[in-house]
Amino acid sequence: MSTFATIDDLPADSRVLVRLDLNSPIEDGQPRDNRRFDRHAETVRELADAGHRVVCLAHQGRPGRDDFTTLAGHADILADHVDRPVGFVADTYGDEALDAIDALDAGEILLLENTRMCDDELPEESPETKAETEFVRTLAGHVDAFVNDAYSAAHREHASLVGFPLVLPSYAGRVMETEYEANTAIATREFDGPVTMVVGGTKATDVIGVMDALDDRVDRFLLGGVAGELFLRAAGHPVGHDVGETDLF
């Protein structure tokens, strides 16, 4: 049994705000389907099947970058994975969004617009500061509970991640629950046998930080992405085109 509240603990017939991480590669202005949709669909589908009214929050890119765009296409992909309609509104906490939230019936799903289009979202500030933002206070007044399923973004002090737990009953979604328990098991080494961790991606500084934090509990790291390139380069192997962060090697 979990030592923290999960969606199993939600009161019946709740109007639930669910933070997902649907950040995706963008091609020709449209998001590409990827495993994040499939994994988060488990949480969203389970909530809808239980009769909750499901309001989803997610981000895409950052202001000023090519992949900073609307979530309209994300709603269509999520609907395919959940196997039921997912409504979309090009608003996050204005009247259009609030009207759509209030109009939800049991089992219906709504995706709000990109959280990073809100001025309150991005600055890294304390949870107490984020909890007082108009963004958090407004949405919190129209839902009963908050579910965080965005494990891959949970280290960020952004409003949609750290503000709502201070003003709403909060629960872990299935992705959050699974990832937290798996990583806790590694951190405490409550099992026999060696541990191999596979890490990759484009944020080598984050990967190296993880390796530093876990080097006494992980026996072997398998590296991909930019971190893998940097370690190969540091060992003297020719890797071709520099893709960034090469000052680290």
Side-chain angles (χ1 to χ4, degrees):
M1 186 176 69
S2 297
T3 58
F4 51 91
T6 72
I7 58 176
D8 294 323
D9 304 304
L10 268 170
D13 192 28
S14 293
R15 195 176 305 270
V16 186
L17 188 63
V18 187
R19 180 57 158 94
L20 311 175
D21 184 0
L22 303 179
N23 197 42
S24 304
I26 302 295
E27 291 186 356
D28 299 324
Q30 295 298 317
R32 289 178 54 188
D33 196 353
N34 60 79
R35 188 165 180 260
R36 289 183 176 184
F37 288 95
D38 186 55
R39 295 195 70 199
H40 286 305
E42 179 182 357
T43 296
V44 175
R45 185 188 311 110
E46 189 172 339
L47 290 170
D49 287 346
H52 300 297
R53 294 158 171 82
V54 186
V55 183
C56 299
L57 286 174
H59 72 275
Q60 174 61 52
R62 282 179 178 265
R65 297 183 181 177
D66 292 341
D67 62 348
F68 182 60
T69 188
T70 178
L71 297 186
H74 298 64
D76 294 335
I77 297 174
L78 184 60
D80 290 339
H81 285 274
V82 177
D83 198 26
R84 67 170 67 200
V86 174
F88 173 75
V89 57
D91 186 20
T92 308
Y93 66 96
D95 290 340
E96 186 178 359
L98 300 180
D99 289 345
I101 292 171
D102 293 342
L104 285 174
D105 287 328
E108 290 188 334
I109 305 166
L110 174 69
L111 177 63
L112 303 180
E113 185 57 283
N114 189 344
T115 61
R116 291 183 176 175
M117 293 182 178
C118 300
D119 292 339
D120 290 336
E121 170 73 343
L122 271 182
E124 296 269 359
E125 298 172 308
S126 70
E128 291 77 14
T129 298
K130 292 302 190 184
E132 293 299 323
T133 60
E134 182 181 5
F135 170 35
V136 169
R137 287 292 178 181
T138 301
L139 279 182
H142 290 259
V143 297
D144 304 309
F146 174 67
V147 171
N148 192 349
D149 208 34
Y151 182 84
S152 52
H155 60 296
R156 303 292 185 192
E157 285 188 312
H158 296 162
S160 64
L161 292 161
V162 301
F164 292 106
L166 296 188
V167 297
L168 288 168
S170 297
Y171 306 83
R174 294 304 184 211
V175 173
M176 178 69 74
E177 178 183 7
T178 300
E179 294 288 349
Y180 178 83
E181 290 182 342
N183 283 286
T184 298
I186 293 171
T188 57
R189 291 297 295 257
E190 294 175 352
F191 53 85
D192 296 324
V195 174
T196 298
M197 177 173 282
V198 183
V199 289
T202 61
K203 299 175 182 176
T205 50
D206 290 350
V207 170
I208 292 170
V210 169
M211 295 172 68
D212 284 340
L214 296 177
D215 64 353
D216 61 338
R217 282 154 285 182
V218 173
D219 302 287
R220 180 185 291 109
F221 291 97
L222 301 184
L223 302 178
V226 174
E229 176 183 303
L230 291 174
F231 276 81
L232 285 171
R233 182 180 291 276
H237 298 285
V239 296
H241 178 67
D242 290 339
V243 295
E245 297 193 277
T246 52
D247 57 309
L248 293 172
F249 83 87

